[in-house]
């Protein structure tokens, strides 16, 4: 039942560890712009030169896929991995982002490949095949997410649309925060990645959103080997008494407000007593792309409707 959740949690942990060990910046920045090629983009695999506007893009990152379509580069996307389920018209394949196969990727004849992590020696293998690769790891802040969107705009020749997409996302998030006013200030939040109590701290893009509302993330107090995505315990969560619970495991693991309320000792947790539980799409809660604004809007609604 929890296979997908555990795989996802493992991926998050791996990403956090890779980011922590990376010698190159994890936040890509644009090196040039204007729509003319060649362009340079600074990603986690260094400064990458893209000689000509990509015509055949393969994305092995669900978030990068969402960003590509948000900036109008969907027409150039020829294949996406098996986890890229949004938007619905993305050319989803059996390509794996968790265990990528260079030969399978090369079979789509890409001139640009986007990956979240360099696993299975994919970067080196594609480089040997003279295929351009951008490594775009998990963004730990909203600003890092915006930077990735702009980097993709530069890399694909869609920088004006990327700027518009970033501004639209910023506007939606600002509106969500403004609607909540100061009602979130000081509220304790628990972000549940899976039912085994993996969570997300303030050092993640979701945590960055909670900070905008002035909330206190209970996972920040946890001690763990993977500090960004620690595994808590039921006892820890109950003892922390969160005022808001965000369920990022509604699809993978059928978690809901009703299910949480039935957990031992959870009946007196403030979030359960006030029914301030945000049951949201796993994808929206875990991808740092344009739909992060939807997560902010859901949190805002929960805060506004909370009955203390």
């Amino acid at each position: 039942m929890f296979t997908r959740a555990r795989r996802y949690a493992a991926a998050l942990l791996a990403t956090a560890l890779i980011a922590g060990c990376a010698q190159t910046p994890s936040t890509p920045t644009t090196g040039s712009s204007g729509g003319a090629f060649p362009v340079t983009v600074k990603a986690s695999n260094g400064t990458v030169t893209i000689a000509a506007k990509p015509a055949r893009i393969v994305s092995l990152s669900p978030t990068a896929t969402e960003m590509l379509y948000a900036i109008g580069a969907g027409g150039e996307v020829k294949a996406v991995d098996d986890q890229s389920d949004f938007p619905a018209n993305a050319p989803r394949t059996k390509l794996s982002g968790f265990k990528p196969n260079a030969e399978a990727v090369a079979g789509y004849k890409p001139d640009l490949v986007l990956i979240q992590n360099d696993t299975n020696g994919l970067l080196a293998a594609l480089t040997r095949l003279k295929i351009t690769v951008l490594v775009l790891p998990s963004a730990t802040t909203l600003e890092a997410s915006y930077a990735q969107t702009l980097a993709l705009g530069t890399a694909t020749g869609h920088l004006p649309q990327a700027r518009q997409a970033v501004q639209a996302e910023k506007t939606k998030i600002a509106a969500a925060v403004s609607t909540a006013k100061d009602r979130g200030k000081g509220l304790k939040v628990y972000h549940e990645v899976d039912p085994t109590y993996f969570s997300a701290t303030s050092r993640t893009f979701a945590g960055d959103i909670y900070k905008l509302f002035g909330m206190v993330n209970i996972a920040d107090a946890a001690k763990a080997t993977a500090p960004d995505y620690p595994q808590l315990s039921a006892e820890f969560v109950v003892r922390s008494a969160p005022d808001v619970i965000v369920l990022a495991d509604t699809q993978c693991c059928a978690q809901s407000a009703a299910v949480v309320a039935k957990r031992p000792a959870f009946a007196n947790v403030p979030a359960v007593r006030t029914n301030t539980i945000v049951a949201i799409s796993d994808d929206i809660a875990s991808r740092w792309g344009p739909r992060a604004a939807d997560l902010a809007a859901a949190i805002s609604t929960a805060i506004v409707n909370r009955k203390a």
Side-chain angles (χ1 to χ4, degrees):
M1 178 180 179
F2 300 148
T3 300
R4 183 189 173 198
R6 286 172 177 160
R7 184 173 62 172
Y8 173 65
L12 289 175
L13 296 174
T15 298
L17 292 172
I18 290 170
C21 298
Q23 298 300 310
T24 52
S26 60
T27 302
T29 56
T30 54
S32 59
S33 61
F37 285 82
V39 297
T40 57
V41 175
K42 194 173 183 180
S44 281
N45 53 319
T47 300
V48 179
T49 298
I50 300 173
K53 179 179 170 64
R56 298 187 64 82
I57 302 173
V58 171
S59 173
L60 301 184
S61 163
T63 299
T65 299
E66 295 191 16
M67 289 177 172
L68 287 170
Y69 279 84
I71 66 175
E76 293 88 75
V77 178
K78 303 306 176 187
V80 301
D81 70 301
D82 57 358
Q83 300 299 308
S84 289
D85 55 4
F86 187 89
N89 61 332
R92 198 175 180 187
T93 70
K94 294 182 179 179
L95 291 174
S96 172
F98 294 112
K99 296 181 179 179
N101 179 285
E103 289 73 21
V105 173
Y108 288 92
K109 303 185 184 307
D111 47 20
L112 178 63
V113 175
L114 309 175
I115 62 176
Q116 184 173 332
N117 301 306
D118 180 22
T119 53
N120 275 5
L122 182 65
L123 176 60
L126 293 178
T127 300
R128 284 194 295 272
L129 295 172
K130 302 187 183 307
I131 296 173
T132 303
V133 181
L134 291 179
V135 182
L136 305 172
S138 297
T140 57
T141 65
L142 288 171
E143 286 301 323
S145 171
Y146 301 147
Q148 284 192 7
T149 301
L150 295 175
L152 285 177
T154 298
T156 62
H158 290 270
L159 185 56
Q161 297 97 320
R163 287 175 173 152
Q164 292 174 4
V166 167
Q167 186 55 52
E169 184 179 349
K170 287 183 176 179
T171 298
K172 290 175 66 176
I173 291 175
V177 174
S178 177
T179 298
K181 299 181 179 178
D182 62 350
R183 296 176 184 174
K185 188 175 183 180
L187 293 181
K188 291 185 286 186
V189 60
Y190 164 53
H191 180 108
E192 180 168 289
V193 173
D194 81 349
T196 64
Y197 298 103
F198 274 102
S199 188
T201 69
S202 295
R203 296 177 294 275
T204 65
F205 88 94
D208 209 29
I209 292 175
Y210 299 138
K211 285 191 289 187
L212 292 176
F213 290 95
M215 304 171 81
V216 177
N217 194 323
I218 69 167
D220 290 349
K223 295 180 180 179
T225 54
D228 291 353
Y229 294 95
Q231 185 175 26
L232 312 179
S233 66
E235 293 76 12
F236 181 95
V237 174
V238 170
R239 187 169 62 250
S240 300
D243 301 292
V244 179
I245 293 176
V246 177
L247 296 176
D249 49 5
T250 59
Q251 296 166 246
C252 69
C253 313
Q255 298 304 292
S256 66
V259 171
V260 171
K262 292 179 181 178
R263 296 177 185 174
F266 270 71
N268 290 322
V269 170
V272 176
R273 284 195 285 102
T274 61
N275 194 32
T276 315
I277 299 178
V278 181
I280 194 167
S281 159
D282 305 9
D283 297 337
I284 291 175
S286 63
R287 297 176 187 173
W288 54 96
R291 289 195 293 169
D294 294 342
L295 175 60
I299 294 166
S300 178
T301 299
I303 292 173
V304 170
N305 293 333
R306 177 176 177 269
K307 297 179 181 178

